[in-house]
Amino acid sequence: MPRVRIRPAHGRCVTRASTTRRYPCLPMNPIVTRFAPSPTGHLHIGGARSALFCWAFAKKNGGRFMLRIEDTDAARSSLESARGIIEDLHWLGIVNDLGPYIAQNGSIGQHDWEAGSGHPPVGEYFQAKRVPIYNKYLEQLVRAGRAYPAFESNEEIEAQRKVAVAAKQTYRYPRPAEIEYGNFNAALEARWKRAQSGERHVVRFAAPNEEIVVHDQVLGDVKYAAGEMDDFVIRKADGFPIYHFAVVIDDETMGVTHVMRAQEHLNNTPRHVALQRALGFRTPIYAHMPLIVNMDNSKMSKRDKAKFARKAAKDAMAKDKAITAASLSASTGQDEKLIAQFLSADNDSLEIAQALAKHFKVPLPEIEVWDFRQNGYLPEAITNFVSLLGWNPGLKTPDGKDLEKFDMQFLASHFGIERIGKQSSKFDRAKLLSFNADAINALPDEVFASRWRTWCEEFEPEFARVVGSADERWLLLARAVKPRAKTLRDGVRASAFLLRSDDATDFDAAACEKNLLASDRQGLSLLRTVRDRFETVGELEWTAPILHSLIEQVGQQAGTGMGPVSQAVRIAIAGAAVSPPLGESLAVLGKAASLTRIRRCFERFSA
RNA sequence: GGCCCCAUCGUCUAGCCCGGUCCAGGACGUCAGGUUCUCAUCCUGAAAACAGGGGUUCGAAUCCCCUUGGGGUCACCA
């Protein structure tokens, strides 16, 4: 696809949400954005967009893009997930300047601020390893009378919350009367000593009783009235900081200047601002991006896979009473109890969802980057498509259409916060598919062949083995398959004829009737003519253009045109009325296999 | 329920900030044709939207207000 020249659509004046809010304190330091996932699974497609925008913004402004791993939830985080997320980002072409990366030998290394960069090295980009830092600031807060240990158990709090909810009231943790805002008094000191002595406790932030205004670059000023915020927990009983606390400290100590994240975090921001003020930190520039939601307006979540599999199972059960949790357990090998729980939505086990999907042969919705990769989507199609969810370049192509096809380089030079929209966008898979098809078609044949092959070797090894190791064979197949592949996996589907055994004798009945047997077995007779001609073709002449013109000639001589001849040959070699173009198909198959297949076809219909 | 955000074709969106060039443009999808050895690709065309109601104004998709609708968030998750 030719890269189009672009021109600005309109002289749009960029004043929204006051771009005058420049970062006030460190004018010499570079812009730093960050993507800070929690390593509890694969990279979510929404996370990929957040990362992409952060990356693009940093690139556009000559800044740095940082990756930080928020693994303070000890129970759910895993190093394996962190590794997966880093790999997913890398695959998409979103490479971080700061924070963890995967080295050649597979170990995890970290890019850090180098000497002379204007920022001291931060050392650790995994939050779980920064606990001493959080504790230092925590103590500072306690001694300033802005945080205090609290000793209620989780259960007690939970019970109080239930009462409040039952009474249709918002639960707010009531600050103990003995705690004096901003004063490290005797009562607080006593609590602190109790906590230090090892008694189980959490630490709560003494929230300020003042209005907080978040100056958001996308949404404008968002006001939160005084008294809205309660004394939320900043350190858990297990000693790990709570998200809000860790984020604020990290953004400060890591030099983050711009926080761009999804709108679901908007209501967290006043907490962050309050914390920053209490700690004497700067407030970074915030930009909250619209959410990406499903077509039915629900939030796009990993649980959608469970929902989807559950629905498929229930639909099947409604049709066939013989299907039960027990029968499903028997056929999927999953635990019956877990399946029963899964069906009644008591758990959302991914494993069971996948097993059921496989059993009922329904594809699960792609939610994570890995899903898309596995299903044959190209990273450039994903980043292009996803960048248009909640942002657009506002440019036109020379023929006056909206510019919407572009690459990472373009994003890195054109991205800006001022063109981020406010409303959430639905994730339209059909359009993504179209982008993917276009991206595939934009690839030169050789490039497509090589990328398709690499993908097949990873995700369709059996197919890759059948195609073999010869580059020419891959190229030949790739050429035939490219225009009919919206995904790399489609390419394999389109090549199904290759997987067919040369000795197979099953042929699509309707297709045979129409193309071989109808009109007094006209198709078979055409096939015989073609076969006779094929036999005279030398091994070296067995090429797509020669075979194509040969079929064409037979059609002309028979007065039928190419169509009927083609269909007869197609059924003989593919067993069905659909296959890639015949010349290429026959060439990939080779002379011997092609003739064997035709012979089997005659054997099948000789009776 | 409290708080917060949002509102242009089915979907992503342009236009909105700086009101007239908009009986609203593009893309995906849909439908109808065409090209073609099948399936696709490709080409042409069509249907399809300013949530509703009030203002302001000579004039509103664009500015203001209300209503309605949608969403987010209220954890010892992030």
PDB file of all heavy atoms in Angstrom, chain A residues 13 236 267 390 392 402 404 484 579, chain B residues 13-14 18 25 27 38-39 72 75 77:
ATOM      1  N   CYS A  13      -7.313  24.492  16.358  1.00  0.00           N
ATOM      2  CA  CYS A  13      -6.582  25.198  17.406  1.00  0.00           C
ATOM      3  C   CYS A  13      -6.574  24.346  18.667  1.00  0.00           C
ATOM      4  O   CYS A  13      -7.603  23.977  19.187  1.00  0.00           O
ATOM      5  CB  CYS A  13      -7.260  26.534  17.685  1.00  0.00           C
ATOM      6  SG  CYS A  13      -6.436  27.465  18.959  1.00  0.00           S
ATOM      7  N   LYS A 236      -1.060  -2.720  53.256  1.00  0.00           N
ATOM      8  CA  LYS A 236      -1.842  -3.889  53.643  1.00  0.00           C
ATOM      9  C   LYS A 236      -1.204  -4.581  54.831  1.00  0.00           C
ATOM     10  O   LYS A 236      -0.056  -4.317  55.198  1.00  0.00           O
ATOM     11  CB  LYS A 236      -1.905  -4.878  52.462  1.00  0.00           C
ATOM     12  CG  LYS A 236      -2.506  -4.295  51.204  1.00  0.00           C
ATOM     13  CD  LYS A 236      -2.574  -5.329  50.093  1.00  0.00           C
ATOM     14  CE  LYS A 236      -1.505  -5.053  49.049  1.00  0.00           C
ATOM     15  NZ  LYS A 236      -1.576  -5.966  47.897  1.00  0.00           N
ATOM     16  N   ASN A 267     -11.347   8.130  38.990  1.00  0.00           N
ATOM     17  CA  ASN A 267     -11.774   8.333  40.369  1.00  0.00           C
ATOM     18  C   ASN A 267     -10.692   7.994  41.395  1.00  0.00           C
ATOM     19  O   ASN A 267     -10.871   8.217  42.586  1.00  0.00           O
ATOM     20  CB  ASN A 267     -13.034   7.520  40.656  1.00  0.00           C
ATOM     21  CG  ASN A 267     -14.218   8.079  39.882  1.00  0.00           C
ATOM     22  OD1 ASN A 267     -14.295   9.277  39.646  1.00  0.00           O
ATOM     23  ND2 ASN A 267     -15.119   7.205  39.463  1.00  0.00           N
ATOM     24  N   GLY A 390     -10.463   5.828  20.287  1.00  0.00           N
ATOM     25  CA  GLY A 390     -10.319   6.929  21.223  1.00  0.00           C
ATOM     26  C   GLY A 390      -9.302   7.966  20.796  1.00  0.00           C
ATOM     27  O   GLY A 390      -9.038   8.919  21.516  1.00  0.00           O
ATOM     28  N   ASN A 392      -7.618   9.849  16.945  1.00  0.00           N
ATOM     29  CA  ASN A 392      -7.461   9.792  15.497  1.00  0.00           C
ATOM     30  C   ASN A 392      -6.580  10.948  15.099  1.00  0.00           C
ATOM     31  O   ASN A 392      -6.515  11.957  15.793  1.00  0.00           O
ATOM     32  CB  ASN A 392      -8.808   9.835  14.783  1.00  0.00           C
ATOM     33  CG  ASN A 392      -9.369  11.225  14.772  1.00  0.00           C
ATOM     34  OD1 ASN A 392      -8.969  12.069  13.983  1.00  0.00           O
ATOM     35  ND2 ASN A 392     -10.261  11.501  15.714  1.00  0.00           N
ATOM     36  N   ASP A 402     -10.657  10.168   5.382  1.00  0.00           N
ATOM     37  CA  ASP A 402      -9.963  10.218   6.659  1.00  0.00           C
ATOM     38  C   ASP A 402      -8.741   9.310   6.615  1.00  0.00           C
ATOM     39  O   ASP A 402      -8.841   8.162   6.196  1.00  0.00           O
ATOM     40  CB  ASP A 402     -10.879   9.711   7.782  1.00  0.00           C
ATOM     41  CG  ASP A 402     -12.017  10.666   8.067  1.00  0.00           C
ATOM     42  OD1 ASP A 402     -12.088  11.706   7.388  1.00  0.00           O
ATOM     43  OD2 ASP A 402     -12.820  10.367   8.963  1.00  0.00           O
ATOM     44  N   GLU A 404      -6.601   6.760   8.032  1.00  0.00           N
ATOM     45  CA  GLU A 404      -6.656   5.836   9.156  1.00  0.00           C
ATOM     46  C   GLU A 404      -5.718   4.646   9.048  1.00  0.00           C
ATOM     47  O   GLU A 404      -5.647   3.825   9.953  1.00  0.00           O
ATOM     48  CB  GLU A 404      -8.092   5.376   9.446  1.00  0.00           C
ATOM     49  CG  GLU A 404      -8.833   4.774   8.293  1.00  0.00           C
ATOM     50  CD  GLU A 404     -10.197   4.213   8.712  1.00  0.00           C
ATOM     51  OE1 GLU A 404     -10.704   4.628   9.779  1.00  0.00           O
ATOM     52  OE2 GLU A 404     -10.720   3.373   7.993  1.00  0.00           O
ATOM     53  N   ARG A 484      -6.701 -14.354   0.116  1.00  0.00           N
ATOM     54  CA  ARG A 484      -7.871 -14.919   0.815  1.00  0.00           C
ATOM     55  C   ARG A 484      -7.597 -15.162   2.291  1.00  0.00           C
ATOM     56  O   ARG A 484      -8.308 -15.927   2.929  1.00  0.00           O
ATOM     57  CB  ARG A 484      -8.443 -16.115   0.072  1.00  0.00           C
ATOM     58  CG  ARG A 484      -7.617 -17.306  -0.151  1.00  0.00           C
ATOM     59  CD  ARG A 484      -7.927 -17.950  -1.510  1.00  0.00           C
ATOM     60  NE  ARG A 484      -7.082 -17.349  -2.541  1.00  0.00           N
ATOM     61  CZ  ARG A 484      -7.473 -17.137  -3.785  1.00  0.00           C
ATOM     62  NH1 ARG A 484      -8.661 -17.475  -4.182  1.00  0.00           N
ATOM     63  NH2 ARG A 484      -6.650 -16.587  -4.647  1.00  0.00           N
ATOM     64  N   SER A 579     -10.887 -23.941  -3.561  1.00  0.00           N
ATOM     65  CA  SER A 579      -9.457 -24.073  -3.300  1.00  0.00           C
ATOM     66  C   SER A 579      -8.781 -22.817  -3.821  1.00  0.00           C
ATOM     67  O   SER A 579      -9.407 -22.026  -4.511  1.00  0.00           O
ATOM     68  CB  SER A 579      -8.889 -25.302  -4.022  1.00  0.00           C
ATOM     69  OG  SER A 579      -8.528 -24.973  -5.357  1.00  0.00           O
TER      70      SER A 579
ATOM     71  P     U B  13     -13.958   5.956  18.707  1.00  0.00           P
ATOM     72  OP1   U B  13     -12.800   6.136  19.577  1.00  0.00           O
ATOM     73  OP2   U B  13     -15.324   6.198  19.227  1.00  0.00           O
ATOM     74  O5'   U B  13     -13.696   6.787  17.379  1.00  0.00           O
ATOM     75  C5'   U B  13     -14.096   8.113  17.212  1.00  0.00           C
ATOM     76  C4'   U B  13     -13.832   8.454  15.771  1.00  0.00           C
ATOM     77  O4'   U B  13     -14.709   7.668  14.919  1.00  0.00           O
ATOM     78  C3'   U B  13     -14.154   9.870  15.394  1.00  0.00           C
ATOM     79  O3'   U B  13     -13.060  10.717  15.753  1.00  0.00           O
ATOM     80  C2'   U B  13     -14.299   9.751  13.888  1.00  0.00           C
ATOM     81  O2'   U B  13     -13.050   9.636  13.241  1.00  0.00           O
ATOM     82  C1'   U B  13     -15.044   8.418  13.765  1.00  0.00           C
ATOM     83  N1    U B  13     -16.503   8.565  13.703  1.00  0.00           N
ATOM     84  C2    U B  13     -17.006   9.140  12.562  1.00  0.00           C
ATOM     85  O2    U B  13     -16.297   9.497  11.636  1.00  0.00           O
ATOM     86  N3    U B  13     -18.369   9.273  12.519  1.00  0.00           N
ATOM     87  C4    U B  13     -19.256   8.902  13.507  1.00  0.00           C
ATOM     88  O4    U B  13     -20.462   9.088  13.325  1.00  0.00           O
ATOM     89  C5    U B  13     -18.652   8.326  14.669  1.00  0.00           C
ATOM     90  C6    U B  13     -17.332   8.181  14.730  1.00  0.00           C
ATOM     91  P     A B  14     -13.336  12.215  16.067  1.00  0.00           P
ATOM     92  OP1   A B  14     -12.086  12.744  16.638  1.00  0.00           O
ATOM     93  OP2   A B  14     -14.611  12.342  16.796  1.00  0.00           O
ATOM     94  O5'   A B  14     -13.507  12.817  14.602  1.00  0.00           O
ATOM     95  C5'   A B  14     -12.407  12.738  13.700  1.00  0.00           C
ATOM     96  C4'   A B  14     -12.718  13.491  12.434  1.00  0.00           C
ATOM     97  O4'   A B  14     -13.776  12.818  11.708  1.00  0.00           O
ATOM     98  C3'   A B  14     -13.267  14.893  12.621  1.00  0.00           C
ATOM     99  O3'   A B  14     -12.216  15.809  12.908  1.00  0.00           O
ATOM    100  C2'   A B  14     -13.880  15.143  11.254  1.00  0.00           C
ATOM    101  O2'   A B  14     -12.883  15.472  10.303  1.00  0.00           O
ATOM    102  C1'   A B  14     -14.453  13.763  10.913  1.00  0.00           C
ATOM    103  N9    A B  14     -15.893  13.681  11.181  1.00  0.00           N
ATOM    104  C8    A B  14     -16.549  13.052  12.216  1.00  0.00           C
ATOM    105  N7    A B  14     -17.854  13.164  12.157  1.00  0.00           N
ATOM    106  C5    A B  14     -18.072  13.920  11.008  1.00  0.00           C
ATOM    107  C6    A B  14     -19.237  14.384  10.393  1.00  0.00           C
ATOM    108  N6    A B  14     -20.464  14.160  10.851  1.00  0.00           N
ATOM    109  N1    A B  14     -19.095  15.108   9.259  1.00  0.00           N
ATOM    110  C2    A B  14     -17.867  15.344   8.786  1.00  0.00           C
ATOM    111  N3    A B  14     -16.692  14.955   9.279  1.00  0.00           N
ATOM    112  C4    A B  14     -16.866  14.238  10.406  1.00  0.00           C
ATOM    113  P     C B  18     -14.333  29.305  21.456  1.00  0.00           P
ATOM    114  OP1   C B  18     -12.894  29.464  21.242  1.00  0.00           O
ATOM    115  OP2   C B  18     -15.031  30.125  22.484  1.00  0.00           O
ATOM    116  O5'   C B  18     -15.120  29.497  20.100  1.00  0.00           O
ATOM    117  C5'   C B  18     -15.338  30.797  19.506  1.00  0.00           C
ATOM    118  C4'   C B  18     -15.067  30.688  18.021  1.00  0.00           C
ATOM    119  O4'   C B  18     -13.650  30.525  17.866  1.00  0.00           O
ATOM    120  C3'   C B  18     -15.704  29.438  17.422  1.00  0.00           C
ATOM    121  O3'   C B  18     -16.894  29.729  16.683  1.00  0.00           O
ATOM    122  C2'   C B  18     -14.667  28.851  16.492  1.00  0.00           C
ATOM    123  O2'   C B  18     -14.996  29.012  15.124  1.00  0.00           O
ATOM    124  C1'   C B  18     -13.412  29.670  16.774  1.00  0.00           C
ATOM    125  N1    C B  18     -12.254  28.812  17.052  1.00  0.00           N
ATOM    126  C2    C B  18     -11.511  28.343  15.960  1.00  0.00           C
ATOM    127  O2    C B  18     -11.885  28.644  14.813  1.00  0.00           O
ATOM    128  N3    C B  18     -10.427  27.581  16.179  1.00  0.00           N
ATOM    129  C4    C B  18     -10.060  27.282  17.433  1.00  0.00           C
ATOM    130  N4    C B  18      -8.986  26.540  17.582  1.00  0.00           N
ATOM    131  C5    C B  18     -10.794  27.742  18.559  1.00  0.00           C
ATOM    132  C6    C B  18     -11.874  28.505  18.334  1.00  0.00           C
ATOM    133  P     G B  25     -22.564  13.454   4.017  1.00  0.00           P
ATOM    134  OP1   G B  25     -23.238  14.185   2.941  1.00  0.00           O
ATOM    135  OP2   G B  25     -23.246  12.329   4.681  1.00  0.00           O
ATOM    136  O5'   G B  25     -21.152  13.003   3.507  1.00  0.00           O
ATOM    137  C5'   G B  25     -20.331  13.910   2.775  1.00  0.00           C
ATOM    138  C4'   G B  25     -18.898  13.732   3.196  1.00  0.00           C
ATOM    139  O4'   G B  25     -18.700  14.334   4.509  1.00  0.00           O
ATOM    140  C3'   G B  25     -18.470  12.290   3.407  1.00  0.00           C
ATOM    141  O3'   G B  25     -18.171  11.636   2.185  1.00  0.00           O
ATOM    142  C2'   G B  25     -17.245  12.473   4.300  1.00  0.00           C
ATOM    143  O2'   G B  25     -16.151  12.965   3.571  1.00  0.00           O
ATOM    144  C1'   G B  25     -17.772  13.561   5.251  1.00  0.00           C
ATOM    145  N9    G B  25     -18.463  12.943   6.386  1.00  0.00           N
ATOM    146  C8    G B  25     -19.815  12.884   6.633  1.00  0.00           C
ATOM    147  N7    G B  25     -20.104  12.216   7.727  1.00  0.00           N
ATOM    148  C5    G B  25     -18.883  11.814   8.220  1.00  0.00           C
ATOM    149  C6    G B  25     -18.563  11.061   9.373  1.00  0.00           C
ATOM    150  O6    G B  25     -19.339  10.582  10.215  1.00  0.00           O
ATOM    151  N1    G B  25     -17.192  10.862   9.500  1.00  0.00           N
ATOM    152  C2    G B  25     -16.249  11.328   8.627  1.00  0.00           C
ATOM    153  N2    G B  25     -14.980  11.027   8.909  1.00  0.00           N
ATOM    154  N3    G B  25     -16.524  12.043   7.535  1.00  0.00           N
ATOM    155  C4    G B  25     -17.846  12.240   7.409  1.00  0.00           C
ATOM    156  P     A B  27     -14.825   5.491   2.268  1.00  0.00           P
ATOM    157  OP1   A B  27     -14.059   5.001   1.103  1.00  0.00           O
ATOM    158  OP2   A B  27     -16.304   5.461   2.271  1.00  0.00           O
ATOM    159  O5'   A B  27     -14.330   4.698   3.562  1.00  0.00           O
ATOM    160  C5'   A B  27     -12.936   4.518   3.796  1.00  0.00           C
ATOM    161  C4'   A B  27     -12.749   3.816   5.103  1.00  0.00           C
ATOM    162  O4'   A B  27     -13.268   4.648   6.172  1.00  0.00           O
ATOM    163  C3'   A B  27     -13.526   2.506   5.254  1.00  0.00           C
ATOM    164  O3'   A B  27     -12.835   1.431   4.653  1.00  0.00           O
ATOM    165  C2'   A B  27     -13.594   2.375   6.769  1.00  0.00           C
ATOM    166  O2'   A B  27     -12.353   1.965   7.296  1.00  0.00           O
ATOM    167  C1'   A B  27     -13.847   3.829   7.174  1.00  0.00           C
ATOM    168  N9    A B  27     -15.284   4.121   7.255  1.00  0.00           N
ATOM    169  C8    A B  27     -16.089   4.760   6.348  1.00  0.00           C
ATOM    170  N7    A B  27     -17.344   4.852   6.725  1.00  0.00           N
ATOM    171  C5    A B  27     -17.368   4.225   7.964  1.00  0.00           C
ATOM    172  C6    A B  27     -18.394   3.988   8.895  1.00  0.00           C
ATOM    173  N6    A B  27     -19.664   4.371   8.712  1.00  0.00           N
ATOM    174  N1    A B  27     -18.076   3.338  10.027  1.00  0.00           N
ATOM    175  C2    A B  27     -16.810   2.953  10.217  1.00  0.00           C
ATOM    176  N3    A B  27     -15.747   3.121   9.424  1.00  0.00           N
ATOM    177  C4    A B  27     -16.099   3.773   8.304  1.00  0.00           C
ATOM    178  P     U B  38     -14.947 -18.361 -11.153  1.00  0.00           P
ATOM    179  OP1   U B  38     -16.290 -17.877 -11.477  1.00  0.00           O
ATOM    180  OP2   U B  38     -13.842 -17.414 -10.912  1.00  0.00           O
ATOM    181  O5'   U B  38     -15.054 -19.329  -9.893  1.00  0.00           O
ATOM    182  C5'   U B  38     -16.024 -20.371  -9.879  1.00  0.00           C
ATOM    183  C4'   U B  38     -15.892 -21.134  -8.587  1.00  0.00           C
ATOM    184  O4'   U B  38     -14.615 -21.819  -8.582  1.00  0.00           O
ATOM    185  C3'   U B  38     -15.858 -20.257  -7.349  1.00  0.00           C
ATOM    186  O3'   U B  38     -17.168 -19.999  -6.899  1.00  0.00           O
ATOM    187  C2'   U B  38     -15.096 -21.129  -6.355  1.00  0.00           C
ATOM    188  O2'   U B  38     -15.917 -22.126  -5.810  1.00  0.00           O
ATOM    189  C1'   U B  38     -14.078 -21.817  -7.272  1.00  0.00           C
ATOM    190  N1    U B  38     -12.768 -21.166  -7.308  1.00  0.00           N
ATOM    191  C2    U B  38     -11.927 -21.369  -6.225  1.00  0.00           C
ATOM    192  O2    U B  38     -12.260 -22.018  -5.258  1.00  0.00           O
ATOM    193  N3    U B  38     -10.702 -20.781  -6.316  1.00  0.00           N
ATOM    194  C4    U B  38     -10.233 -20.032  -7.357  1.00  0.00           C
ATOM    195  O4    U B  38      -9.094 -19.575  -7.303  1.00  0.00           O
ATOM    196  C5    U B  38     -11.156 -19.847  -8.437  1.00  0.00           C
ATOM    197  C6    U B  38     -12.367 -20.408  -8.374  1.00  0.00           C
ATOM    198  P     C B  39     -17.507 -18.595  -6.261  1.00  0.00           P
ATOM    199  OP1   C B  39     -18.942 -18.624  -5.933  1.00  0.00           O
ATOM    200  OP2   C B  39     -16.965 -17.524  -7.144  1.00  0.00           O
ATOM    201  O5'   C B  39     -16.660 -18.598  -4.914  1.00  0.00           O
ATOM    202  C5'   C B  39     -16.931 -19.554  -3.895  1.00  0.00           C
ATOM    203  C4'   C B  39     -15.879 -19.424  -2.827  1.00  0.00           C
ATOM    204  O4'   C B  39     -14.595 -19.867  -3.344  1.00  0.00           O
ATOM    205  C3'   C B  39     -15.605 -17.996  -2.372  1.00  0.00           C
ATOM    206  O3'   C B  39     -16.550 -17.601  -1.405  1.00  0.00           O
ATOM    207  C2'   C B  39     -14.192 -18.124  -1.792  1.00  0.00           C
ATOM    208  O2'   C B  39     -14.205 -18.704  -0.507  1.00  0.00           O
ATOM    209  C1'   C B  39     -13.555 -19.105  -2.772  1.00  0.00           C
ATOM    210  N1    C B  39     -12.826 -18.419  -3.852  1.00  0.00           N
ATOM    211  C2    C B  39     -11.461 -18.148  -3.658  1.00  0.00           C
ATOM    212  O2    C B  39     -10.937 -18.492  -2.604  1.00  0.00           O
ATOM    213  N3    C B  39     -10.771 -17.533  -4.638  1.00  0.00           N
ATOM    214  C4    C B  39     -11.390 -17.178  -5.781  1.00  0.00           C
ATOM    215  N4    C B  39     -10.664 -16.570  -6.711  1.00  0.00           N
ATOM    216  C5    C B  39     -12.776 -17.436  -5.996  1.00  0.00           C
ATOM    217  C6    C B  39     -13.446 -18.047  -5.018  1.00  0.00           C
ATOM    218  P     G B  72     -19.090  -0.201  33.217  1.00  0.00           P
ATOM    219  OP1   G B  72     -18.353  -1.441  32.932  1.00  0.00           O
ATOM    220  OP2   G B  72     -20.327  -0.241  34.030  1.00  0.00           O
ATOM    221  O5'   G B  72     -18.101   0.847  33.885  1.00  0.00           O
ATOM    222  C5'   G B  72     -16.838   1.127  33.289  1.00  0.00           C
ATOM    223  C4'   G B  72     -16.173   2.239  34.057  1.00  0.00           C
ATOM    224  O4'   G B  72     -17.041   3.399  34.049  1.00  0.00           O
ATOM    225  C3'   G B  72     -15.973   1.955  35.536  1.00  0.00           C
ATOM    226  O3'   G B  72     -14.790   1.216  35.742  1.00  0.00           O
ATOM    227  C2'   G B  72     -15.869   3.364  36.110  1.00  0.00           C
ATOM    228  O2'   G B  72     -14.605   3.929  35.846  1.00  0.00           O
ATOM    229  C1'   G B  72     -16.917   4.097  35.272  1.00  0.00           C
ATOM    230  N9    G B  72     -18.230   4.159  35.920  1.00  0.00           N
ATOM    231  C8    G B  72     -19.369   3.485  35.562  1.00  0.00           C
ATOM    232  N7    G B  72     -20.393   3.778  36.313  1.00  0.00           N
ATOM    233  C5    G B  72     -19.899   4.706  37.225  1.00  0.00           C
ATOM    234  C6    G B  72     -20.552   5.394  38.290  1.00  0.00           C
ATOM    235  O6    G B  72     -21.728   5.323  38.648  1.00  0.00           O
ATOM    236  N1    G B  72     -19.668   6.231  38.965  1.00  0.00           N
ATOM    237  C2    G B  72     -18.345   6.397  38.650  1.00  0.00           C
ATOM    238  N2    G B  72     -17.663   7.244  39.421  1.00  0.00           N
ATOM    239  N3    G B  72     -17.725   5.771  37.661  1.00  0.00           N
ATOM    240  C4    G B  72     -18.571   4.946  36.994  1.00  0.00           C
ATOM    241  P     A B  75     -14.974  -0.030  48.613  1.00  0.00           P
ATOM    242  OP1   A B  75     -14.890  -0.994  47.502  1.00  0.00           O
ATOM    243  OP2   A B  75     -15.901  -0.236  49.720  1.00  0.00           O
ATOM    244  O5'   A B  75     -13.538   0.213  49.280  1.00  0.00           O
ATOM    245  C5'   A B  75     -12.434  -0.341  48.742  1.00  0.00           C
ATOM    246  C4'   A B  75     -11.974  -1.528  49.560  1.00  0.00           C
ATOM    247  O4'   A B  75     -12.475  -2.742  48.978  1.00  0.00           O
ATOM    248  C3'   A B  75     -10.460  -1.566  49.529  1.00  0.00           C
ATOM    249  O3'   A B  75      -9.808  -1.626  50.784  1.00  0.00           O
ATOM    250  C2'   A B  75     -10.151  -2.643  48.469  1.00  0.00           C
ATOM    251  O2'   A B  75      -9.073  -3.415  48.828  1.00  0.00           O
ATOM    252  C1'   A B  75     -11.439  -3.456  48.366  1.00  0.00           C
ATOM    253  N9    A B  75     -11.751  -3.659  46.937  1.00  0.00           N
ATOM    254  C8    A B  75     -12.376  -2.814  46.063  1.00  0.00           C
ATOM    255  N7    A B  75     -12.485  -3.292  44.845  1.00  0.00           N
ATOM    256  C5    A B  75     -11.889  -4.541  44.937  1.00  0.00           C
ATOM    257  C6    A B  75     -11.688  -5.551  43.981  1.00  0.00           C
ATOM    258  N6    A B  75     -12.064  -5.457  42.717  1.00  0.00           N
ATOM    259  N1    A B  75     -11.070  -6.666  44.395  1.00  0.00           N
ATOM    260  C2    A B  75     -10.676  -6.777  45.669  1.00  0.00           C
ATOM    261  N3    A B  75     -10.818  -5.879  46.649  1.00  0.00           N
ATOM    262  C4    A B  75     -11.436  -4.781  46.207  1.00  0.00           C
ATOM    263  P     C B  77      -5.408  -5.962  49.166  1.00  0.00           P
ATOM    264  OP1   C B  77      -5.116  -7.080  50.033  1.00  0.00           O
ATOM    265  OP2   C B  77      -4.422  -4.928  48.851  1.00  0.00           O
ATOM    266  O5'   C B  77      -5.934  -6.599  47.793  1.00  0.00           O
ATOM    267  C5'   C B  77      -6.714  -5.810  46.917  1.00  0.00           C
ATOM    268  C4'   C B  77      -6.276  -6.154  45.522  1.00  0.00           C
ATOM    269  O4'   C B  77      -7.434  -6.245  44.679  1.00  0.00           O
ATOM    270  C3'   C B  77      -5.389  -5.107  44.866  1.00  0.00           C
ATOM    271  O3'   C B  77      -4.030  -5.291  45.210  1.00  0.00           O
ATOM    272  C2'   C B  77      -5.652  -5.409  43.393  1.00  0.00           C
ATOM    273  O2'   C B  77      -4.899  -6.504  42.959  1.00  0.00           O
ATOM    274  C1'   C B  77      -7.140  -5.772  43.397  1.00  0.00           C
ATOM    275  N1    C B  77      -8.010  -4.637  43.076  1.00  0.00           N
ATOM    276  C2    C B  77      -8.569  -4.607  41.793  1.00  0.00           C
ATOM    277  O2    C B  77      -8.310  -5.530  41.017  1.00  0.00           O
ATOM    278  N3    C B  77      -9.372  -3.573  41.437  1.00  0.00           N
ATOM    279  C4    C B  77      -9.616  -2.606  42.307  1.00  0.00           C
ATOM    280  N4    C B  77     -10.405  -1.625  41.908  1.00  0.00           N
ATOM    281  C5    C B  77      -9.075  -2.609  43.622  1.00  0.00           C
ATOM    282  C6    C B  77      -8.271  -3.629  43.968  1.00  0.00           C
TER     283        C B  77
END
